[in-house]
Amino acid sequence: MLVDGHTHTEFCPHGSREPVEKMIQRSIGLGLQKYCITEHAPLPPDFVDSYQGSTDGVTEASMELSDMPAYLKLTKKLQQKYRDQIEISIGFEVDYLEGFEDFTKRFLDEYGPQTQESILSVHFMKGTNGKFWCVDNGVDDFENGFKDFLDTPQHVFNEYYQTVNKSVSADLGQYRPQRIGHMSLVRKYQDHFHITEDLDAKNLELVDEILRKIKNQDRQLDLNLAGLYKPLCNDFYPGSQILKKAEGLSIPLVYGSDAHDIESVGRGFHLINSITAY
């Protein structure tokens, strides 16, 4: 089945605000058979107290809780409207935030019954001053937030994958997301920070642990091609090292454009066969 498993909507504050209906129409035109709507789930209201960095890293990160009725109403309407042309699943891209697991579980318990597929991602990790910082909100925040880890590439990789490991281990209830999003997002600015080297043996062992958990939990990996189009990344997520290990464990890979605008829907889809044939 031809699927775009990771997309966003006009409810995303850092997106284009272009209508998801137009994005669905583009996916139909591209011949896709399934379209997964995975908008950024609301952050905990008190998360801001644990966050340090650019204000927009929080204010523009996700929908608000007050958006939920409109989001679900619109996506359900489109799901029905286009049901004879394409299968549409509704869900969220959920942030793993250490210490806020109870909020995330309560949110999923409430809204999970109305969804079909969701993604669990790490966009924030703890860094300077013990606060949370964005992994993907610009080079300045990355440097200021993780300067203590940037002495070597392997150090920052280890901090990130320790966080990913916690995310897949977290008890988020029966509606936990079934797909792990862009598992190598820490490399978004790899060209700028010169952290392009492969994972070393220690970090590969950590990745192996994560992948075994994903396999045992019957979860999937987001084969996210958005990184190829990021000027300081120039690689897909999760990258060839992790991809090979995931394939060796027969972990399902689901292509995702991570589209935040119409023209990005299905972007890079033609590269999947060459990427997975590494």
Side-chain angles (χ1 to χ4, degrees):
M1 178 179 281
L2 304 179
V3 181
D4 193 335
H6 187 156
T7 68
H8 295 276
T9 71
E10 58 263 47
F11 288 90
C12 179
H14 60 267
S16 66
R17 298 286 189 172
E18 293 175 328
V20 63
E21 182 164 13
K22 295 289 186 182
M23 298 170 74
I24 290 168
Q25 290 170 352
R26 175 174 168 83
S27 71
I28 293 169
L30 291 172
L32 297 180
Q33 297 166 297
K34 184 175 179 181
Y35 190 82
C36 303
I37 303 172
T38 54
E39 192 50 82
H40 294 284
L43 297 175
D46 56 346
F47 175 66
V48 65
D49 297 331
S50 300
Y51 170 82
Q52 189 173 347
S54 300
T55 302
D56 61 359
V58 167
T59 60
E60 297 184 10
S62 67
M63 294 187 287
E64 299 289 338
L65 280 168
S66 59
D67 292 327
M68 291 307 302
Y71 172 70
L72 291 170
K73 181 179 179 180
L74 174 62
T75 52
K76 288 178 181 180
K77 176 183 175 182
L78 295 174
Q79 189 179 51
Q80 290 301 309
K81 181 176 180 178
Y82 292 97
R83 64 183 177 181
D84 294 332
Q85 299 178 65
I86 192 169
E87 179 184 348
I88 296 173
S89 72
I90 300 167
F92 306 102
E93 182 174 12
V94 177
D95 277 293
Y96 171 72
L97 301 168
E98 184 181 358
F100 293 88
E101 293 88 349
D102 287 347
F103 168 87
T104 304
K105 184 178 182 297
R106 289 195 303 271
F107 173 84
L108 291 170
D109 284 346
E110 180 173 357
Y111 295 105
Q114 301 181 65
T115 66
Q116 294 80 52
E117 291 184 52
S118 291
I119 294 170
L120 181 65
S121 297
V122 172
H123 294 102
F124 300 89
M125 69 177 183
K126 290 183 177 178
T128 302
N129 300 325
K131 297 285 191 175
F132 284 99
W133 294 75
C134 286
V135 174
D136 64 336
N137 195 42
V139 295
D140 289 341
D141 268 17
F142 194 95
E143 183 167 16
N144 292 330
F146 311 123
K147 58 189 177 184
D148 293 339
F149 311 149
L150 287 169
D151 51 339
T152 68
Q154 300 304 325
H155 190 175
V156 71
F157 293 157
N158 188 261
E159 294 291 334
Y160 177 77
Y161 286 109
Q162 292 286 0
T163 307
V164 174
N165 196 18
K166 292 174 184 176
S167 78
V168 300
S169 303
D171 178 8
L172 300 179
Q174 63 175 316
Y175 298 105
R176 71 182 186 189
Q178 59 268 68
R179 189 146 62 249
I180 305 305
H182 40 56
M183 195 174 143
S184 60
L185 187 63
V186 69
R187 291 185 181 272
K188 183 174 179 179
Y189 309 115
Q190 63 178 353
D191 291 348
H192 180 84
F193 290 104
H194 308 293
I195 53 173
T196 56
E197 66 186 50
D198 284 347
L199 299 176
D200 65 10
K202 178 182 177 182
N203 281 319
L204 281 176
E205 184 176 339
L206 177 55
V207 164
D208 283 337
E209 180 181 347
I210 294 168
L211 292 176
R212 284 194 298 271
K213 290 178 181 178
I214 292 171
K215 173 68 174 179
N216 292 337
Q217 295 165 357
D218 292 322
R219 284 169 130 168
Q220 308 161 333
L221 271 188
D222 177 29
L223 181 57
N224 188 312
L225 269 59
L228 285 170
Y229 305 95
K230 302 299 183 184
L232 297 176
C233 181
N234 297 298
D235 197 7
F236 66 93
Y237 310 122
S240 59
Q241 263 190 311
I242 296 174
L243 178 65
K244 289 177 184 177
K245 287 182 170 290
E247 289 181 320
L249 290 171
S250 299
I251 294 172
L253 304 165
V254 180
Y255 159 79
S257 67
D258 209 343
H260 287 69
D261 54 62
I262 297 168
E263 70 174 15
S264 297
V265 173
R267 185 164 60 175
F269 189 82
H270 64 288
L271 299 172
I272 294 175
N273 288 340
S274 61
I275 287 172
T276 55
Y278 267 40

